[in-house]
Amino acid sequence: MSSPIFSLLLLPHSAPPPMATICAHRTPFAAAKPQPPHGGPRPPPPSTVGSPRWIRRSYCSLVARWWSAAERRSRKEEEEERPFPSAIGKAADHDGGAVQENGLLDPTLLAIGRTQNLGDDSVGEQKTEELAGVLDEEETTGDDSVSASRTVLDSSIEVLDSSTVPDSITEETKAEKEVLMSSSALDVEEEEETDEQEQTQTRVTRTIVFVSAEAAPYSKTGGLGDVCGSLPISLAARGHRVMVVSPRYLTGVSNKKFANAIDTGVRIKVLCFGGEHEVSFYHEFRAGVDWVFVDHPSYHRPGNPYGDSNGAFGDNQFRFTILCYAACEAPLVLPLGGYTYGEKCLFIVNDWHASLVAVLLAAKYRPYGVYKDARSILVIHNLAHQGVEPATTYEYMGLPPEWYGALEWIFPTWARKHALDKGEAVNLLKGAIVTADRIVTVSQGYSWEITTPEGGHGLNELLNSRKFVLNGITNGIDTNEWNPTSDKHIPFHYSVDDLSGKAQCKAALQKELGLPIRPDCPLIGFIGRLDYQKGTDVIRSALHELLQDDIQFIMLGSGDPETEDWMRWVESTNREKFRGWVGFNIPVSHRITAGCDILLMPSRYEPCGLNQLYAMRYGTVPVVNCTGGLRDTIENFDPFANNSSGQGTGWRFSPLSKESMLSKLRVAIQTFREHKASWEGLMKRGMSKDFSWDSAAIQYERIFDWAFVDPPYIR
């Protein structure tokens, strides 16, 4: 005798496969999944073998519930008159309509009591009431169809009386239960695998072009070079096609950095500044990124990318206008890897040096149908530097006259040189703020600061007007280059689990710089540009008083000539306590970061700041002014938190003054000397932080998606 469950799903001899085959067979389907059955009316039985899995499981569960709730209770009364209901040979019932065209019993008709009623009508009414109650209870619970199927089958097997049900039926019922359970388990596993594949395939990859005046390791003066040397690599690792366009600086010293860059043979003519200028491109493929270097004679001179010992270069506007024109042409003319990047690009323009790219897209390309699907994102690393030049230079940039308003800049009265000065100028960064599709700053705190009068540098009202497209993403760091376990620039390696190498690096640094080798003496370091932003004037005012304590101090940086001379003078008068390294040296910066106990950063404003991230990575405790990215990344030390085990990664002070800075420094010095356990906790918490570019790259991808949701801001 056939199993009742199996019998209900069997068809006439010419019908499709039975339920067991339907449940076990799985065919992928492309259509979107409907809502689960427990969220609405129950679906009709599947008409094809390839029906969605949840429909097949729900149908199996519904038939199983019908059997356990209705047939089980009336079995003894009907055993003599109707042993078991069967669809075999009975394609139609007495009332009609209980069997569908495909031969399967219609569960909706079962639910309203129009099943086979062989004999007493009261039996059918009783079965209908019982079944409706069971179905209502099941609908209320909203359990998953797989779980419901298993539960009902279990209960039906346990409740069935072996004296009234033949052994063969019981065995077949158990077999059907095992088929349903194994089928459901396979369905769940397959559904999870499908979801994982869908998540992997749904991430959109894009064609991205970074435009920057710096890109480490080829050129670098600060954080801009670090970001544009690391973020493109992280994005390329996530599947994007990435190009970085930067000048080919030949200073006579850095020429070897471009040794692997090959001349592409492509030449373009740029019409600007009253002439036609030929530009060539060099290319190097490294770490999954196309590094493109724009070559022009204006980049071949001693000094850094922006100036030399005599100050900033007088033709910087011309030099970076050339860069922007070349960057706009590079995706169209360079067949990198065999084919060009094309017009549907996402331009990432960094600071004022690359800001003209956003203006060129809107003013000189889209009006002619080129780059109509491209987008531009302005990344502000430092709002203080805006590329402001006299208004008379506008006509030399090759822009249409009607676009002057996008770059127009009027200095306030107090900032003008004399009474007849109208204050008229062009502001390249303002042009990008006006024309870019989205704006990003390098920390969340800085994205708010630049909308205030104190931090907006005259652009706060304009930035407020575009606040709806303004976001902040904290920078990451290159965890391969800045890694105390493998750093090639430091003499000893160490980790969060073994800090012994940290003390050895300190001793090696003291020996290298000619300071007394004293493990117990706090060694304080400063690394950065010597200018007003970095708060070097506060250091100058406080250093004499600070050197009265038993400490050692190291400064590395270049910039303001007066501060450089001051560093030399202090070193000559405090040979046992102070060393000043004028200039920027990457290996020395690594050794100072690894060897110092404390890193001091009294910046007036800090868009993000990378040195404090490097310091924590190397177990050096930062003492910073509470501003911008420093506030976002440094957690103030609390020795009484976590049951007195401590919390935090450094110290923040505010306001920026000599007194508040000295106060926090003295607390840090005292903690270093008298509370070794707390100091070690500070070091380890900082070293345990994740400062990689992975999380930042994910946030940038979200901004990319938002940029393409809307049409270009300027069309």
Side-chain angles (χ1 to χ4, degrees), residues 505-507 509-510 513 515 518-525 550-554 577 591-592 595-599 620 672:
C505 286
K506 177 179 179 178
L509 178 64
Q510 290 172 326
L513 298 180
L515 291 170
R518 297 181 54 193
D520 60 327
C521 180
L523 183 57
I524 305 172
D550 187 17
I551 60 102
Q552 294 176 343
F553 201 102
I554 301 173
K577 293 186 175 183
R591 291 196 288 272
I592 292 176
C596 285
D597 301 303
I598 300 170
L599 182 76
T620 301
F672 172 82

Side-chain angles (χ1 to χ4, degrees), residues 345-388:
C345 293
L346 177 62
F347 287 91
I348 310 296
V349 298
N350 295 271
D351 277 348
W352 74 266
H353 325 98
S355 291
L356 198 59
V357 169
V359 181
L360 290 173
L361 292 178
K364 300 199 70 173
Y365 286 91
R366 289 195 186 113
Y368 302 98
V370 183
Y371 284 132
K372 61 182 183 300
D373 294 323
R375 301 292 189 274
S376 61
I377 297 177
L378 170 65
V379 182
I380 300 176
H381 299 261
N382 193 335
L383 190 65
H385 304 287
Q386 301 176 8
V388 179

Side-chain angles (χ1 to χ4, degrees), residues 312-601:
F313 296 131
D315 61 346
N316 275 341
Q317 185 186 31
F318 165 73
R319 299 167 73 228
F320 295 118
T321 297
I322 291 288
L323 170 67
C324 293
Y325 273 97
C328 290
E329 290 294 317
L332 304 176
V333 301
L334 296 181
L336 306 178
Y339 61 101
T340 63
Y341 273 55
E343 294 184 29
K344 192 174 181 180
C345 293
L346 177 62
F347 287 91
I348 310 296
V349 298
N350 295 271
D351 277 348
W352 74 266
H353 325 98
S355 291
L356 198 59
V357 169
V359 181
L360 290 173
L361 292 178
K364 300 199 70 173
Y365 286 91
R366 289 195 186 113
Y368 302 98
V370 183
Y371 284 132
K372 61 182 183 300
D373 294 323
R375 301 292 189 274
S376 61
I377 297 177
L378 170 65
V379 182
I380 300 176
H381 299 261
N382 193 335
L383 190 65
H385 304 287
Q386 301 176 8
V388 179
E389 297 289 345
T392 54
T393 61
Y394 177 83
E395 61 182 287
Y396 301 123
M397 290 188 285
L399 294 172
E402 61 269 20
W403 279 87
Y404 175 76
L407 280 69
E408 183 181 16
W409 179 254
I410 304 295
F411 279 102
T413 305
W414 61 265
R416 300 175 188 177
K417 294 183 178 180
H418 50 79
L420 299 179
D421 185 2
K422 296 181 180 180
E424 297 177 352
V426 290
N427 187 321
L428 296 182
L429 186 62
K430 180 211 169 186
I433 294 174
V434 169
T435 56
D437 295 289
R438 295 200 71 90
I439 305 170
V440 177
T441 64
V442 290
S443 71
Q444 295 180 2
Y446 194 57
S447 67
W448 169 80
E449 286 185 4
I450 63 176
T451 62
T452 66
E454 294 80 8
H457 296 278
L459 292 171
N460 52 291
E461 292 184 3
L462 178 60
L463 288 165
N464 264 309
S465 70
R466 302 216 63 197
K467 197 171 184 178
F468 62 97
V469 296
L470 175 62
N471 300 96
I473 300 176
T474 301
N475 283 336
I477 62 174
D478 186 344
T479 54
N480 294 321
E481 179 185 0
W482 293 91
N483 189 344
T485 63
S486 59
D487 192 337
K488 63 182 181 181
H489 299 302
I490 62 177
F492 302 96
H493 295 149
Y494 56 96
S495 67
V496 68
D497 299 318
D498 181 11
L499 295 172
S500 59
K502 173 76 172 175
Q504 294 174 310
C505 286
K506 177 179 179 178
L509 178 64
Q510 290 172 326
K511 181 179 180 180
E512 177 184 0
L513 298 180
L515 291 170
I517 301 176
R518 297 181 54 193
D520 60 327
C521 180
L523 183 57
I524 305 172
F526 169 88
I527 302 173
R529 291 193 313 275
L530 306 179
D531 61 16
Y532 181 76
Q533 176 202 340
K534 298 299 182 180
T536 53
D537 58 312
V538 182
I539 296 178
R540 292 179 60 177
S541 65
L543 189 63
H544 176 73
E545 186 174 344
L546 182 62
L547 291 179
Q548 303 305 311
D549 296 335
D550 187 17
I551 60 102
Q552 294 176 343
F553 201 102
I554 301 173
M555 290 185 69
L556 169 68
S558 62
D560 177 38
E562 183 180 346
T563 304
E564 293 177 354
D565 293 338
W566 171 83
M567 287 169 56
R568 298 185 182 98
W569 174 79
V570 174
E571 179 177 336
S572 65
T573 57
N574 296 272
R575 298 290 301 173
E576 300 294 316
K577 293 186 175 183
F578 183 88
R579 287 293 182 273
W581 188 298
V582 176
F584 188 80
N585 187 293
I586 292 177
V588 173
S589 69
H590 281 246
R591 291 196 288 272
I592 292 176
T593 302
C596 285
D597 301 303
I598 300 170
L599 182 76
L600 179 61
M601 294 186 67

Side-chain angles (χ1 to χ4, degrees), residues 245-248 279-282 292-296 299 322-323 326:
V245 182
S246 182
R248 182 171 177 257
V279 175
S280 59
F281 297 92
Y282 284 72
V292 174
F293 304 105
V294 178
D295 191 58
H296 185 267
Y299 304 133
I322 291 288
L323 170 67

